[in-house]
Amino acid sequence: MQVFTKKSLLKEYISQIKEQSKSVGFVPTMGALHQGHLSLIKKAKKKNDIVVVSIFVNPTQFDNKEDLDKYPITLENDKKLLESVDCDAVFIPSVKEIYDKNIVSEKFDFDGLEHQMEGKFRDGHFDGVGTIVKALLEIVMPTKAYFGEKDFQQLQIIKKLVEKHQLNVTIKGCPIFREEDGLAMSSRNTRLTNEYRKAAPFIHKTLKKAKKKFGIKDADKVTEWVENQFKKHPILELEYFTIANEKTLETITSKKNKEKHRAFIAVFAGEIRLIDNIQLKN
Ligand code: AMP
């Protein structure tokens, strides 16, 4: 596996690959890799001649300094995991390499997608995401780029970014990879105390029950039910639960038959903020 820290050298490598008419799959990450990340890389390997992964903890998408400072970094283990799935190249730039001295976001208009859910609770988050993903796509110039449905709102926003900026790449969404007990895999899970780690599968269990209820109840009733479940929970704290239209990400109160809906949740397990979502059937 080739390791790059400089964009100029990575660009040179990519243009050599492209000269051979080979396709490039790209998986951007913030590192502390787990099986969820590897599932994206394996999918990219199947569909492309080579796969590039980036590892970059992007400062401009963090609204909480402590979350940024404590974000897990496990570079040596990440490289081993990448070798184990035959990743061809990894790009690990410094903050200076990406931002130089100006560590700020561009401002984006994602047609309102950015104002829903995570956008309401994480100030400037999607401007930061848009800034780094656009920069990385311009450096790597992949044929296809892979993003997890774990961050479903981010996935929809990146599709919008590509459409609005006419970037020449196909965005592929990948299903959520879970622990055996249902907890969605996340780099932040390693920061959970034993007590919170044991409690955390309650999030997915509640989403599954909400999905069942959505078959017979209106969205606002299901939302009320979920909010009550968390009020009764001894340690987990609900930040939001909402049922939204998959395309517009706008909250719905009752279902419309031809549209796809998804339930979204953010929960505090102590200091650690966990998000998850589940597709609903009409
Ligand atoms: P992150 O390193 O958390 O920024 O994630 C990098 C990419 O991996 C994003 O596209 C995430 O949505 C995706 N990802 C993270 N966790 C999972 C998971 N449990 N299942 C599927 N994709 C995931």
Side-chain angles (χ1 to χ4, degrees), residues 27-40 54 56 61 71 146-152 154-155 158 172 174-179 183-189:
V27 183
T29 80
M30 297 205 295
L33 300 180
H34 51 67
Q35 293 298 322
H37 296 115
L38 297 191
S39 71
L40 271 58
S54 62
F56 181 65
Q61 72 188 67
Y71 200 83
Y146 295 78
F147 294 85
E149 287 181 352
K150 159 87 180 6
D151 303 282
F152 192 85
Q154 170 177 282
L155 169 65
I158 286 160
K172 295 283 184 188
C174 305
I176 302 173
F177 208 84
R178 298 181 180 281
E179 301 285 357
L183 176 64
M185 286 194 182
S186 163
S187 305
R188 289 184 178 88
N189 292 353

Side-chain angles (χ1 to χ4, degrees), residues 6-246:
K6 299 282 171 220
K7 40 189 183 188
S8 56
L9 296 179
L10 176 63
K11 277 182 175 177
E12 236 171 68
Y13 167 78
I14 299 280
S15 52
Q16 281 167 15
I17 301 283
K18 291 257 174 109
E19 270 166 28
Q20 300 165 41
S21 304
K22 287 184 175 167
S23 60
V24 177
F26 178 45
V27 183
T29 80
M30 297 205 295
L33 300 180
H34 51 67
Q35 293 298 322
H37 296 115
L38 297 191
S39 71
L40 271 58
I41 299 166
K42 286 177 193 165
K43 191 162 172 184
K45 272 302 277 189
K46 272 195 197 146
K47 302 283 182 186
N48 298 276
D49 296 312
I50 72 138
V51 170
V52 179
V53 171
S54 62
I55 296 178
F56 181 65
V57 182
N58 175 36
T60 63
Q61 72 188 67
F62 284 79
D63 61 325
N64 176 335
K65 191 174 177 311
E66 191 178 334
D67 189 27
L68 172 61
D69 290 344
K70 292 195 176 163
Y71 200 83
I73 295 175
T74 58
L75 269 185
E76 286 318 305
N77 193 52
D78 289 353
K79 285 187 205 160
K80 280 187 200 142
L81 288 174
L82 291 175
E83 299 266 12
S84 78
V85 290
D86 268 337
C87 175
D88 299 275
V90 61
F91 180 44
I92 315 176
S94 64
V95 172
K96 187 168 185 297
E97 181 70 9
I98 296 292
Y99 286 101
D100 201 5
K101 284 178 195 142
N102 202 17
I103 310 175
V104 290
S105 302
E106 264 177 65
K107 298 279 172 248
F108 289 92
D109 173 3
F110 296 120
D111 293 345
L113 294 177
E114 72 277 28
H115 301 313
Q116 306 298 330
M117 301 181 295
E118 293 297 283
K120 286 184 188 151
F121 292 91
R122 300 186 68 187
D123 200 24
H125 172 65
F126 288 117
D127 281 333
V129 169
T131 303
I132 186 61
V133 173
K134 185 162 159 277
L136 289 170
L137 290 174
E138 283 165 358
I139 296 166
V140 179
M141 294 198 301
T143 323
K144 295 190 177 103
Y146 295 78
F147 294 85
E149 287 181 352
K150 159 87 180 6
D151 303 282
F152 192 85
Q153 183 173 14
Q154 170 177 282
L155 169 65
Q156 299 298 63
I157 281 177
I158 286 160
K159 285 182 181 165
K160 183 68 79 180
L161 171 85
V162 165
E163 180 195 312
K164 284 201 146 185
H165 292 261
Q166 300 181 340
L167 305 176
N168 188 17
V169 55
T170 306
I171 301 300
K172 295 283 184 188
C174 305
I176 302 173
F177 208 84
R178 298 181 180 281
E179 301 285 357
E180 269 181 22
D181 58 16
L183 176 64
M185 286 194 182
S186 163
S187 305
R188 289 184 178 88
N189 292 353
T190 58
R191 293 188 53 212
L192 293 170
T193 61
N194 281 345
E195 188 189 18
Y196 281 112
R197 175 62 190 83
K198 273 192 197 139
F202 182 77
I203 300 168
H204 181 237
K205 276 198 193 105
T206 308
L207 283 182
K208 283 199 295 187
K209 287 186 188 161
K211 177 173 179 151
K212 266 200 179 155
K213 288 188 186 292
F214 189 67
I216 44 175
K217 287 188 176 177
D218 257 342
D220 50 356
K221 292 282 172 249
V222 179
T223 303
E224 216 179 287
W225 179 83
V226 170
E227 287 171 354
N228 275 325
Q229 297 311 297
F230 277 91
K231 269 183 203 148
K232 286 189 260 171
H233 196 283
I235 57 172
L236 295 178
E237 232 175 88
L238 182 68
E239 185 170 53
Y240 67 78
F241 170 87
T242 188
I243 296 180
N245 178 306
E246 274 201 357

